Amino acid sequence: MQSIHLKTASLLVVDAQQGFTELCPLELPIPGGLQIVPNVNRLLDLPWARIDASQDWHPPDHCSFLGRRDNLYPPHCVAGTPGADFLPGLHTARFHTIWRKGYHRDADAYAVTAQHPGLPALLRQTGITTVVVCGLATNICCFYAARDLRQAGFRVLIVEDASAGIDVPAANLFQVRTKNEGQWMGIEYVTTADLLAAVE
């Protein structure tokens, strides 16, 4: 694995929120969602050039919710509710910027870049060439952010054991298919140990 220079690398923690775990069982719990916290914290403890986090911040009548236009997901991560809060024990004080997304009722935003299209330019202006992605869910919001950043020309890595995924057949989102697509694009799928060993 090619080395990672932290002076030109950033960490993106995607939607590490309670609504995606068994803490909120009526929302959208992802198997293993709580178990990612120790490895995410190991990543957060590194001296990245910058650390960004995304946060789903949905209105209660968001278009993706069951009974609404797209009819895909149970209500989850509604703004101001416990489901929207970050995971307990997560070292959130390390976040430089929190990017909220999905707050428009009639528009979905899996990727932070869909809601904040200027993020790639901001990263580039600050000298970032590599973005490491982790969080929830690996094959949905993590993947779509990684895809957009890869298409923008960054080296992109997804840390699989600092992330957790879930198949959503209704939305045609499947973990194996998404990983194959990501690898074809040049996204690197690694473990926390791989990444720590590659850091310079």
Side-chain angles (χ1 to χ4, degrees), residues 72-73 110 144 168-174:
L72 294 174
Y73 307 107
Y110 287 149
Y144 281 95
V168 185
N172 199 32
L173 295 167
F174 297 95

Side-chain angles (χ1 to χ4, degrees), residues 37-80:
V37 170
N39 280 337
V40 176
N41 283 341
R42 290 172 74 192
L43 299 176
L44 284 168
D45 288 343
L46 294 172
W48 304 93
R50 65 175 291 129
I51 298 173
D52 294 285
S54 66
Q55 184 179 27
D56 263 2
W57 199 250
H58 293 311
D61 55 352
H62 189 257
C63 62
S64 70
F65 291 170
L66 296 177
R68 302 291 174 178
R69 185 192 70 201
D70 299 338
N71 198 42
L72 294 174
Y73 307 107
H76 62 275
C77 300
V78 172

Side-chain angles (χ1 to χ4, degrees), residues 107-131:
D108 218 330
Y110 287 149
V112 59
T113 38
Q115 194 83 75
H116 303 282
L119 179 59
L122 173 65
L123 296 175
R124 198 172 290 112
Q125 288 165 9
T126 52
I128 301 299
T129 59
T130 299
V131 183

Side-chain angles (χ1 to χ4, degrees), residues 178-195:
T178 303
K179 183 174 180 178
N180 288 340
E181 182 180 346
Q183 290 175 321
W184 180 82
M185 293 179 62
I187 296 170
E188 300 169 54
Y189 286 77
V190 301
T191 67
T192 303
D194 292 335
L195 190 136

